Amino acid sequence: MKNVNIEIDGIKVTVPEETTILKAAESIGIEIPTLCYLKDLTPDGSCRMCVVEVKGGRKKGLFTACSEHCAEGMQVETRSEAVIDSRRFILDMLMSIHEKRCLTCRQNSHCQLQELCMEYGVEDTTYPGDAPRFDVDTSNPFFDFDPNACIMCRKCERVCTSLQGRKVISINGRGIGTHMSMVYDIKWSESNCESCGNCVANCPTGALLDKKIKGIPRLWDVKKVGTTCPHCGVGCQYNLIVKDDEIIGTEALEGPSNRGMLCVKGRYGSFEFVKHPDRIKYPLIKRNGEFQRASWDEALDLIAAKILQHKKESGPDAIAGFSCSRSTNEDNYVFQKMMRAAIGTNNVDNCARLCHGPSVVGLATTLGSGAMTNSIADIMEAPEVIFLIGSNTTEAHPVIGIQIRQAVLRGAKLIVADPRAIDLMDYTYMHMQIRPGTNVAFANGIMNVIISNGLEDQDYIAGRTEGYEELKDLVKEYTPEKVAQICGIDKEMLIEAALMYAKADRAPIIYCLGVTEHSTGTEGVMSMSNMALLVGKLGKYGCGVNPLRGQNNVQGACDMGCLPGDFPGYQKTSNPDNVSKFEKAWGCTLSTTQGLRSTEVFPAILEDRIKALYIFGEDPAATDPDSNHIRKALEKLDFLVVQELFMTETAKYADVILPGASYAQKEGTFTNTERRVQRVRKAVELEGEMRLDSDVFCDVMTRIGYPAHFDSAADIMREVASVTPSFAGVSHERLDGGESLQWPCTSSTDKGTCILHMDEFTRGRGLFKAIEFKEPDELPDAEYPLTMITGRMLYHYNNASMTGRTEGIVQISNESYVEINAQDAEKMNIRDGEKVKICSRRGEVITSARIGNVVSPNEVFMTFHFADGNVNEITNSVTDELSGIPEYKVCAVKIEKA
Ligand SMILES: Nc1nc2c(c(=O)[nH]1)N[C@H]1C(S)=C(S)[C@@H](COP(=O)(O)OP(=O)(O)OC[C@H]3O[C@@H](n4cnc5c(=O)[nH]c(N)nc54)[C@H](O)[C@@H]3O)O[C@H]1N2
Ligand SMILES: Nc1nc2c(c(=O)[nH]1)N[C@H]1C(S)=C(S)[C@@H](COP(=O)(O)OP(=O)(O)OC[C@H]3O[C@@H](n4cnc5c(=O)[nH]c(N)nc54)[C@H](O)[C@@H]3O)O[C@H]1N2
Ligand code: SF4
Ligand code: SF4
Ligand code: SF4
Ligand SMILES: [Mo]
């Protein structure tokens, strides 16, 4: 592109030809006021606040700087008399529709309109008219809309339509009655708004205003702490806004994965729980069946005594620990060190077992590294085709979900394979409503079509892979006809999807639990890498195989070695060199026995092989399958420690409960789904006798004879870096200095890795795995005729211990429900909202029916977020042999009227 030379306020600047005057001015530090400008969207030019005067050059006159491009020889004045007059006139006009009441407005001192009026000396309008007054809409639980304070800049509408992709705000009315509102003027709460608050954050006046900050005076007197959202693996960056040691709100930052956006859980659901009265504040010891407050000394002495007793009586492998994928890398590192170095067992695991265990095992087998291969920015920048398999992205990874919507608005074609009509349907080019549990057959069918059309990448296969011939022979059998029948989909769609995927240059596969949570989960994952290897779409910009990791730090908990067979950085415990390396680093003797997976621990308890369990921030009584068998195991344990924020279902079974520290009360890092290590910073103080989780582990270690201490989280990360090659270059200092690091990051000068497997796979050659399709463990039959699928919804998060303590979220959703297809409901004579009983071979739950077309006939869907009617009472605990993940996504049920 050609460069042009222009002058702004007498300063010379050279910029590429297409640059707007606004951006050119910004680049030399000249600020031009705007009201309607949104950096990620094409300029609207409607508020006209950014007018500038252009003197030299071909064009002369007043132009809007946000939309006018720089041209050679332009002389721009940003504060000439004509400009100032024009801006005054605009403000004067705006004030004629804006109801003035700054003294009592909650936006007072934060309002861009107010600031500009002060700057340009506009005190009142000279066009007093009788602009109509509107009712304030207070129906959204998080924010109010006051049309009387609206200046019709349309930012909210553009954010909602083009960035959030929700399209619920529009201009309504005519003439002087023109106003912004929900489509058809319905109430905010009756609309499709998903309460992301992205419109509110961009409103330049007090028209859209956060309820939380209502009545908080002196809002300028706040502290802002930059940190990472504690919910999902997107890893959105934001400020917590703190006043008098209380978090009152959030403010999105331009993080690499969120680019200024947040979802409802990050924006509004990530802070009320921090100081909630339900927080556990003191150690508790169960005496005669009742929890009693205890001192830290009493609690820690009891824990140490019990650990030593069981170690002596039955050996260290009679003790197991579950680490917390919600907590920091630093806490997770110390936890596994406690289990390995101090207790002497490899029985340590984390929640990845329940979600992406198959990704860790499957992709490590085929590619050599079990993580997302590409980065969010590179797969979302300009994809041609997005192949979305078993991921309900707009609900479970919402800020990636909205980037998918944006990509579709820019022309990408979205192909969805999911048994349910997920929220993204409006944006979907093709939806294959596949029968649950048939992913392997589906992928084999896609590959059959690719090969029979000669679209496989032969050079790539020859140069970078192995195992192709076997795969080719096997998928020959998976003809489109056969696969269409197995999966219950249209043959033509399967063929078209395969051709589209193979032919596109940039086509990421994005998958999630719809692929992993099956008794064939690992095979499902390897089928994903098979497809990408076949067409050479690994190690390539805009492509890859991209598992969306679930919890905020489930990637990190695995990276830190909270896995039974892995030291930090996936250094195998089965390799004697690794064992001696860690023995030297940690100054101890380490066990070489393979540890138990979390899902193996419960049967082992029932068989008396595990006597004591230390659970750091996990709630298996609510979230593991077949709750009944989990409860039996927890009851049978001789000793259970739970270190938690809240009294969870699991904590009720504990012998000792220890109060942990929430993410907003400690320093550390989380690693998001794209392997990006990001800072977590302390915003508010701990209350009562809560302590930092890692300090508690150090005290336990010390009391059982392995003295341990760290000065700070940064200190812990220094130790991690010293023993973990893929983290060798990661430090808090670098992150605090503004660097953003994705592992592998192998030295202090290494900038980290955006895309894995670029020149070579981590394991050398990419491995094809020829895999036959197998049916799920429990299929519907005459007695249990329906297939139950389980999963998530937008507003609540896993056991809801955090989201369930956010008032506004509870107002939107607080009860369990079951999605039933309208045809089935009619057959069973069940009405919408009616209470129904759902039974499986393992138990039953009562919940309300939600009737529609989200699920297919003969299939039903429930979430596991709610204590009333938790679907895990009925799910199947059968696991995938290769990874130990339970088959949460398929079990057979029947429904009766309750
Ligand atoms: N709002 C919210 N967000 C969350 C969480 C939360 O609880 N709430 N939890 C976080 C965690 S821990 C995780 S792991 C992620 C999970 O994120 P996701 O995996 O996206 O969420 P799920 O709803 O469990 O399942 C995704 C989809 O898989 C589909 N599915 C079921 N069976 C099959 C199948 O056999 N084949 C295919 N192709 N699809 C199938 C379901 O219909 C569902 O739409 O979300 C994270 N984000
Ligand atoms: N039916 C069904 N069941 C499922 C699934 C499904 O799809 N269907 N999905 C499964 C999946 S993918 C997952 S990941 C699991 C999730 O299962 P869990 O890990 O049990 O659920 P979370 O809500 O993530 O719970 C973490 C706990 O950690 C606590 N916590 C959070 N931060 C901290 C901290 O810093 N310190 C301490 N000490 N505690 C903390 C919270 O209070 C919470 O109680 O559920 C699984 N269960
Ligand atoms: S909160 Fe989000 S979804 Fe709701 S109107 Fe605003 S931008 Fe749209
Ligand atoms: S509500 Fe706010 S963002 Fe929307 S048009 Fe009015 S002033 Fe602009
Ligand atoms: S998308 Fe995930 S990380 Fe981002 S704000 Fe929402 S819950 Fe938090
Ligand atoms: Mo998960």
Side-chain angles (χ1 to χ4, degrees), residues 172-295:
N172 284 294
R174 282 162 172 239
I176 193 153
T178 311
H179 60 282
M180 303 306 298
S181 68
M182 296 283 98
V183 277
Y184 309 121
D185 270 330
I186 55 173
K187 282 230 170 290
W188 217 284
S189 59
E190 289 157 9
S191 74
N192 251 341
C193 165
E194 47 196 3
S195 296
C196 65
N198 289 318
C199 56
V200 183
N202 280 289
C203 178
T205 75
L208 279 165
L209 196 54
D210 203 316
K211 278 189 167 71
K212 254 276 149 163
I213 58 173
K214 193 179 209 159
I216 294 184
R218 295 205 316 278
L219 206 57
W220 54 89
D221 182 18
V222 295
K223 174 172 91 172
K224 292 181 179 181
V225 181
T227 192
T228 306
C229 175
H231 294 298
C232 85
V234 180
C236 296
Q237 299 294 291
Y238 62 23
N239 281 326
L240 288 174
I241 303 175
V242 184
K243 184 159 168 61
D244 304 329
D245 206 46
E246 197 73 46
I247 306 170
I248 58 170
T250 59
E251 180 179 83
L253 292 172
E254 281 293 316
S257 60
N258 67 307
R259 298 160 62 218
M261 306 289 277
L262 292 174
C263 83
V264 57
K265 292 184 297 304
R267 172 112 34 214
Y268 301 113
S270 60
F271 53 90
E272 265 176 65
F273 77 88
V274 173
K275 292 232 173 162
H276 196 281
D278 292 350
R279 279 289 299 273
I280 294 171
K281 294 197 181 73
Y282 309 97
L284 299 168
I285 295 179
K286 198 183 264 164
R287 294 188 174 105
N288 304 319
E290 297 262 324
F291 284 114
Q292 291 176 357
R293 183 170 165 182
S295 70

Side-chain angles (χ1 to χ4, degrees), residues 533-657:
L533 284 171
L534 185 66
V535 287
K537 287 188 174 38
L538 276 160
K540 189 174 165 194
Y541 163 79
C543 295
V545 170
N546 301 286
L548 300 182
R549 302 304 295 264
Q551 289 152 309
N552 53 322
N553 198 36
V554 67
Q555 179 68 56
C558 297
D559 301 343
M560 291 301 106
C562 295
L563 292 171
D566 298 74
F567 291 119
Y570 309 94
Q571 302 173 79
K572 300 293 162 206
T573 56
S574 55
N575 178 339
D577 292 345
N578 294 335
V579 174
S580 36
K581 168 180 157 180
F582 278 91
E583 284 182 337
K584 208 167 134 212
W586 290 343
C588 63
T589 314
L590 291 170
S591 163
T592 52
T593 312
Q594 167 72 32
L596 291 181
R597 297 163 171 164
S598 64
T599 42
E600 290 168 336
V601 165
F602 296 102
I605 297 170
L606 294 172
E607 290 160 20
D608 251 346
R609 286 183 288 126
I610 293 284
K611 312 271 188 182
L613 179 58
Y614 196 135
I615 301 185
F616 165 35
E618 237 191 80
D619 189 10
T623 57
D624 270 44
D626 188 4
S627 314
N628 208 12
H629 104 277
I630 302 292
R631 284 191 292 261
K632 266 192 211 140
L634 292 175
E635 266 164 17
K636 181 151 195 292
L637 274 171
D638 178 64
F639 191 63
L640 174 63
V641 184
V642 173
Q643 190 161 315
E644 251 297 343
L645 309 183
F646 295 103
M647 181 59 81
T648 58
E649 284 306 306
T650 306
K652 292 177 189 162
Y653 292 85
D655 296 285
V656 179
I657 303 179

Side-chain angles (χ1 to χ4, degrees), residues 25-97:
E26 207 177 75
S27 74
I28 49 171
I30 294 177
E31 202 185 320
I32 297 174
T34 62
L35 281 168
C36 71
Y37 178 68
L38 285 163
K39 71 171 178 22
D40 289 328
L41 295 180
T42 43
D44 192 51
S46 69
C47 80
R48 306 196 61 82
M49 260 320 279
C50 64
V51 284
V52 291
E53 189 170 1
V54 176
K55 288 187 169 157
R58 272 185 297 120
K59 270 179 160 179
K60 290 188 180 59
L62 292 178
F63 294 95
T64 47
C66 70
S67 54
E68 193 62 29
H69 291 162
C70 298
E72 186 61 36
M74 253 185 187
Q75 282 171 352
V76 178
E77 285 195 25
T78 71
R79 301 192 61 90
S80 69
E81 210 172 302
V83 167
I84 304 273
D85 278 351
S86 164
R87 288 186 190 153
R88 266 201 200 116
F89 173 73
I90 290 157
L91 288 168
D92 191 341
M93 293 298 284
L94 290 177
M95 290 307 282
S96 74
I97 56 165

Side-chain angles (χ1 to χ4, degrees), residues 232 265 355 389-392 395-397 417-420 422 434 436-437 439 512-514 518 550-551 789 791-794 796-798 865 889:
C232 85
K265 292 184 297 304
C355 45
I389 309 178
S391 155
N392 183 9
E395 300 207 56
H397 296 87
D418 196 300
R420 298 187 310 136
I422 54 174
I434 76 171
N439 299 307
C512 209
L513 303 188
H518 293 284
Q551 289 152 309
I789 310 168
R792 298 161 164 74
M793 56 105 89
L794 173 67
H796 281 288
Y797 194 91
N798 291 357
H865 306 306
K889 292 285 182 263

